[in-house]
Amino acid sequence: GRQGNGRLKGLVAGGIVVVGAAVAAWCLWPPQKRGEDAASTKRGLIKEVKPAVVTAGVTVDPSPERHFIAGTSSGGVAAWNAVWYRNDYFRRVFLSSPTFSAIAGGEEPMVIVRKCEPRPIRVFMTAGTCEPNYYFGDSYFAAVNAADALQFAGYDCRFEVFPHEGHGARREEPELWKRMMPYLRNQFQKAKPQKKASVSQKAWARA
């Protein structure tokens, strides 16, 4: 919306967000289609959206270190799938309250993360302590488990927890982006797996 565009322009003007092409995609699917839809989303971003952006006259840097993707809730799972399966194209990701819980296999990605060699991905993830708690799991503890899996696997990751806040907390807050973008951008140096993830709050007991 206009408010979001105004915030984005302010971040660009302040040098926090680099000038580029910003694309928003919304996907609605029944739970059984979750994995299938995520796969089609990442294909569409690369095979359909990128050519359209180039056709519009925008120069797309070929380096995957400069390609950033973000998602909230199930969109966070889709964003993770994009960097995991296509880290030849995406290597920076923001996950806001990602629901890595038992919705059509949503709990599986972090199990795979623990079993595989780390990939060149840098992660910034957030969650509130008052996330929804549904029959398929608690979104807060799903995010905590994801942070723990990334730490175990040696990813370059930062995890911020917001006490007494809910789903998608602060995802559009300028101060969050001011912390996040320099961390993810890191002068666009190649993201290399680290021995320890950088986690802002290890005491993850719900407040």
Side-chain angles (χ1 to χ4, degrees):
R2 293 181 180 178
Q3 186 177 20
N5 289 337
R7 289 173 178 168
L8 181 60
K9 290 179 180 178
L11 293 170
V12 171
I16 303 302
V17 175
V18 177
V19 176
V23 179
W26 288 268
C27 301
L28 299 178
W29 59 83
Q32 67 272 19
K33 297 288 187 179
R34 193 181 196 205
E36 176 184 329
D37 199 89
S40 64
T41 297
K42 61 179 182 288
R43 286 195 300 268
L45 284 171
I46 297 170
K47 294 184 178 181
E48 298 177 20
V49 175
K50 178 187 174 183
V53 169
V54 172
T55 301
V58 177
T59 300
V60 179
D61 194 293
S63 173
E65 311 298 334
R66 291 177 178 260
H67 297 167
F68 164 72
I69 189 167
T72 300
S73 194
S74 289
V77 179
W80 173 258
N81 283 337
V83 294
W84 177 259
Y85 290 105
R86 291 303 307 265
N87 56 84
D88 60 320
Y89 196 80
F90 295 106
R91 293 188 180 177
R92 301 292 193 274
V93 63
F94 169 39
L95 307 176
S96 170
S97 299
T99 50
F100 290 111
S101 50
I103 312 174
E107 75 281 13
E108 295 176 3
M110 290 300 123
V111 175
I112 297 172
V113 162
R114 287 178 174 269
K115 296 180 178 181
C116 296
E117 289 293 322
R119 302 182 181 189
I121 299 167
R122 181 172 293 132
V123 183
F124 191 100
M125 182 167 60
T126 61
T129 58
C130 294
E131 297 278 351
N133 186 5
Y134 298 129
Y135 66 91
F136 44 76
D138 188 309
S139 294
Y140 171 68
F141 286 110
V144 168
N145 178 67
D148 195 53
L150 291 166
Q151 182 178 33
F152 173 85
Y155 276 87
D156 191 357
C157 172
R158 180 172 176 180
F159 179 41
E160 291 193 4
V161 175
F162 304 128
H164 311 296
E165 297 191 42
H167 203 53
R170 307 191 194 185
R171 63 183 177 180
E172 296 183 4
E173 185 181 83
E175 290 303 315
L176 174 66
W177 284 74
K178 288 178 182 178
R179 296 192 303 275
M180 174 175 61
M181 292 311 295
Y183 170 77
L184 289 176
R185 189 170 68 232
N186 194 23
Q187 299 180 352
F188 296 115
Q189 296 175 356
K190 185 177 181 180
K192 297 180 180 180
Q194 304 294 314
K195 291 183 179 180
K196 292 291 184 180
S198 173
V199 182
S200 61
Q201 181 175 331
K202 184 62 176 177
W204 292 327
R206 173 171 276 153

